[in-house]
Amino acid sequence: MQIQDLPFPDPGVPDARSGPRFLWWLFRNQLGGQLKSLAWGLLHFASVSALPFCVGLAVQAVVDRSGTRLALAGGLMALCCAGNALGDTFLHRAAVTNWITAAARVQQLLARKTALLGSALTRRVAAGEVVAVSTGDVEKIGWFVEAVSRFTAAALTIVLVCVTLVVYEPALGVVVILGLPVLALAVLPLLPRATRRADVQREKAGRATELASDTVAGLRVLRGIGGEELFLDRYRDASQEVRHAAVRSARMWSLISAIQVLLPGLLLIAVVWHGVHLAREGRIGVGELVTVYSSVMILTYPLRHFEEIAMAYSFSRPSAKRAARVLALERATDTAGSRAADVPTGDLYDPTTGLLAPAGRFTAVVCGDPDAAGRLAERLGGHPSEKGTSALLGGVPLDELPLETARTAVLVQDKDPVLLSGTLRELLDVPASGAVGAAEALSAAQCGDVLAALAQGSLGADDPMDARITERGRSLSGGQRQRLALARSLITDPEALVLDEPTSAVDSHTEARIAEGVRTLRAGRTTVVFTSSPLLLDRADGIVFLHDGEVAAVGTHRDLLHTEPRYRAVVTRETDEEAAEHRDGDKAGDGAEQAPPAEAPLNSEKALKSGRGLNSERGLHAGRAPDDNALGDDDVLHRLEEIEETA
């Protein structure tokens, strides 16, 4: 595999049982590149290590006044230099290729796992950890994978040189062969401590990165409450902790590097001292002494790879462990897709709660627990974060469909959808049936003011569709981001669309128009909306109320307001005292058949007092007529006066 061939057609199935097993799996899956790197590494290191023999041969030829041997030594030296240049060039090329391909394989595996798990991933692993693994960690993993072949070449070269020295000059070769293992193994006792310090540094750096990303994501809110300095001080403290940890880690690695310089120097002194005595006694020649001395000096170069492989492993081991932890995650209901890749049609049903969303109808779901609502939305989409019975579409379990087919059939928009940077045209360029155009979706989601704002804020963009959206849509308000995300979901036109609080950040007037737009555009399609907004509930074909994880009541908004106190408490946000007043009023009115006035339905005052009127974001009271327009401030005040007069 070459760099130009990336990405991999299939990155494979990783061994994610542990970090070391994952590293070994990566090594085995690019064995061809590793062997190529090993071959070029052997050529490079062997050429470098052969130079001292050529120099020794040349010196001895000068001492013996032999021109033939001097010419031979020169030719061998030229050959070694050519081999060194060729081996070094292609070793670097092969090593970089191994590094990049290993990192790219890990990134592809992470991307595939992220797409497979969907929104369930961030419920099981922090988003910051996934980002850290896919950025910094993949580089460390790739570093170790490519360093293995270079280290192997260096180790084989050292063994070869030691054997050659013993054969060439046994008296000095024995000294070298006894000293080199000490050099290679001297740093081993320090590696565990260095590894621990490096782990602490990475852990603190990860926390600082998460804190920084969280601060940037919530900068608007922090400015609103005046919390910028507080979080800035926290980041400063975290940054200083990272600095102190990095200094402690660097001290240990500096000590290891110093040992790697000191011990070879001591070995050189021992070789020279012993060699000089042998030369004075006439047991070796000057050229042989120069050869052994130069060989020991040259061996410090491949010996440095022992330190590098130790550093690479200590840095890559925790990175591989984190990557393996993410890659080991599995879908709660993951199958190979035993059914044909045909999109089913029919009712959407969740056996766990008993929720039934009839085909072709607009169904609203009210649940007092937002977390339970989010988990139910995931189950309806066929990618739950917990094990359980699969949701059914038209009687077909979604986990028996191929994943791509299941996601084509049911689209889930969670309560915090993400907008990617790019133009609006690119944002809306998503897989779709083609039945709904961008203009229709934007109109139904009431994005007219959003288009105007984008066009005004983008210089040189005559068409709002060419206006650029910043990262995560940070230049837009929460309501504008929500409406663009809703338009993107509407364009896909799935068989079943599940929306989790799609209008929680818009005002009441806009929310009323969105409710009508979505209802009209999705006519004949199954739509499920998780909400407690009276505006959306009043326009739903049917409402399902969930309590304690089960369906507690089914009906229309008006009926449930009158007959289900728990539903009324969730929708109107009434307090326990207000609920008690309702119960007392219901008991006092038993037997009396008095219908509430059409213009002031039951509990409208409670709804207004609960903050769902008076120009609040959530808008109108619980019981207004379905064909009314959104109320303005004067209308709300007038309605309050009527209620007080009636009371």
Side-chain angles (χ1 to χ4, degrees):
M1 173 62 73
Q2 299 297 320
I3 296 177
Q4 61 264 25
D5 298 326
L6 295 175
F8 291 94
D10 180 12
V13 179
D15 186 350
R17 289 176 291 177
S18 66
R21 288 177 183 272
F22 179 60
L23 291 173
W24 174 241
W25 178 85
L26 284 173
F27 180 84
R28 287 189 292 107
N29 273 267
Q30 53 183 66
L31 193 58
Q34 296 292 344
L35 292 176
K36 186 183 297 183
S37 178
L38 176 62
W40 290 118
L42 285 173
L43 175 61
H44 169 58
F45 290 121
S47 300
V48 172
S49 301
L51 285 173
F53 293 94
C54 298
V55 172
L57 181 61
V59 170
Q60 192 63 42
V62 171
V63 172
D64 297 340
R65 298 179 181 276
S66 173
T68 303
R69 282 188 292 163
L70 181 62
L72 177 62
L76 291 176
M77 191 175 297
L79 185 62
C80 289
C81 290
N84 179 24
L86 186 66
D88 190 23
T89 300
F90 286 94
L91 171 62
H92 179 73
R93 180 185 180 90
V96 171
T97 299
N98 289 337
W99 189 339
I100 293 178
T101 52
R105 187 186 297 273
V106 178
Q107 285 183 322
Q108 278 189 250
L109 290 171
L110 290 170
R112 186 175 67 180
K113 181 62 66 172
T114 301
L116 178 68
L117 294 176
S119 60
L121 175 63
T122 53
R123 291 183 178 270
R124 302 164 69 178
V125 180
E129 182 173 355
V130 179
V131 173
V133 171
S134 60
T135 53
D137 284 340
V138 296
E139 294 186 6
K140 298 180 179 67
I141 293 171
W143 176 27
F144 174 75
V145 171
E146 69 87 10
V148 171
S149 56
R150 288 190 293 111
F151 164 74
T152 304
L156 291 176
T157 301
I158 290 174
V159 173
L160 178 63
V161 171
C162 288
V163 172
T164 304
L165 286 176
V166 171
V167 174
Y168 180 73
E169 182 50 57
L172 290 178
V174 171
V175 176
V176 175
I177 205 170
L178 292 177
L180 283 178
V182 177
L183 298 184
L185 303 177
V187 298
L188 288 182
L190 300 177
L191 290 180
R193 183 177 298 180
T195 301
R196 287 195 297 271
R197 292 189 179 186
D199 290 345
V200 171
Q201 176 195 350
R202 281 190 295 274
E203 182 182 352
K204 292 183 179 295
R207 286 202 296 266
T209 301
E210 290 182 7
L211 179 60
S213 61
D214 291 343
T215 302
V216 172
L219 189 59
R220 180 174 296 182
V221 177
L222 291 177
R223 286 176 175 172
I225 62 176
E228 299 138 294
E229 289 300 324
L230 174 63
F231 275 78
L232 183 59
D233 291 340
R234 289 181 182 177
Y235 180 74
R236 285 196 185 104
D237 294 339
S239 178
Q240 289 302 310
E241 291 181 5
V242 174
R243 184 178 68 84
H244 292 314
V247 170
R248 293 184 73 247
S249 178
R251 285 174 180 168
M252 185 56 63
W253 288 111
S254 298
L255 177 60
I256 292 174
S257 298
I259 292 175
Q260 290 288 314
V261 173
L262 175 63
L263 293 184
L266 295 177
L267 179 61
L268 277 175
I269 293 173
V271 169
V272 171
W273 179 81
H274 185 55
V276 168
H277 280 283
L278 293 177
R280 291 176 62 183
E281 295 174 359
R283 295 170 59 183
I284 64 173
V286 176
E288 294 171 336
L289 177 60
V290 171
T291 298
V292 176
Y293 169 79
S294 302
S295 297
V296 174
M297 185 174 63
I298 289 294
L299 282 179
T300 58
Y301 170 54
L303 276 173
R304 300 293 295 180
H305 288 76
F306 283 78
E307 177 190 352
E308 183 190 8
I309 197 66
M311 291 183 64
Y313 181 72
S314 65
F315 278 91
S316 66
R317 182 182 56 81
S319 296
K321 182 180 178 180
R322 282 193 294 266
R325 185 167 58 247
V326 175
L327 295 175
L329 297 175
E330 297 293 341
R331 283 170 44 84
T333 55
D334 195 21
T335 67
S338 56
R339 293 180 179 264
D342 297 327
V343 178
T345 59
D347 299 340
L348 184 61
Y349 176 66
D350 176 49
T352 303
T353 60
L355 169 67
L356 176 66
R361 294 175 65 83
F362 188 113
T363 303
V365 180
V366 177
C367 182
D369 184 356
D371 291 333
R375 291 191 294 270
L376 174 56
E378 289 181 344
R379 281 203 306 276
L380 293 177
H383 43 90
S385 57
E386 302 172 351
K387 290 187 177 296
T389 307
S390 172
L392 287 78
L393 180 62
V396 178
L398 291 177
D399 63 359
E400 294 182 6
L401 292 171
L403 184 60
E404 183 177 354
T405 304
R407 289 181 172 172
T408 301
V410 184
L411 174 68
V412 178
Q413 176 182 304
D414 60 23
K415 64 183 64 178
D416 187 23
V418 176
L419 301 183
L420 302 179
S421 59
T423 65
L424 181 58
R425 193 184 310 279
E426 293 170 343
L427 174 70
L428 301 179
D429 184 16
V430 293
S433 67
V436 178
E440 298 172 273
L442 290 169
S443 176
Q446 301 299 310
C447 295
D449 62 316
V450 184
L451 297 178
L454 287 174
Q456 185 177 5
S458 299
L459 299 177
D462 298 330
D463 188 349
M465 296 295 289
D466 296 325
R468 294 199 63 81
I469 298 174
T470 57
E471 179 198 4
R472 299 179 68 91
R474 298 191 192 281
S475 60
L476 303 173
S477 68
Q480 289 173 329
R481 290 196 298 269
Q482 216 169 42
R483 282 178 280 163
L484 285 179
L486 177 59
R488 180 179 58 187
S489 299
L490 293 174
I491 284 178
T492 61
D493 189 37
E495 181 65 28
L497 176 62
V498 180
L499 305 172
D500 190 1
E501 292 288 354
T503 58
S504 59
V506 302
D507 60 81
S508 59
H509 299 274
T510 306
E511 187 177 33
R513 294 193 293 269
I514 290 176
E516 287 296 339
V518 172
R519 179 185 174 90
T520 302
L521 189 64
R522 292 286 301 171
R525 292 286 203 181
T526 305
T527 306
V528 180
V529 179
F530 287 81
T531 184
S532 58
S533 165
L535 285 166
L536 291 174
L537 297 173
D538 207 24
R539 284 167 169 78
D541 296 324
I543 296 173
V544 179
F545 174 60
L546 298 177
H547 183 71
D548 290 337
E550 295 182 352
V551 173
V554 177
T556 64
H557 175 56
R558 290 173 177 268
D559 293 340
L560 293 177
L561 277 176
H562 300 158
T563 60
E564 180 54 66
R566 294 172 298 182
Y567 173 84
R568 184 170 57 232
V570 172
V571 173
T572 64
R573 305 294 195 272
E574 67 182 4
T575 63
D576 294 339
E577 292 78 5
E578 292 171 334
E581 292 177 7
H582 272 294
R583 287 193 295 269
D584 294 340
D586 291 341
K587 291 179 181 179
D590 285 346
E593 298 180 358
Q594 181 178 359
E599 68 276 10
L602 288 180
N603 208 47
S604 59
E605 183 180 6
K606 294 290 190 298
L608 289 168
K609 290 182 178 179
S610 67
R612 307 184 74 79
L614 290 177
N615 209 29
S616 70
E617 278 193 339
R618 303 303 306 161
L620 304 178
H621 61 79
R624 64 166 173 73
D627 54 350
D628 285 347
N629 293 323
L631 299 181
D633 291 350
D634 294 338
D635 298 327
V636 174
L637 292 174
H638 180 64
R639 187 66 58 83
L640 277 175
E641 292 173 357
E642 291 179 349
I643 294 171
E644 291 174 356
E645 291 174 359
T646 303

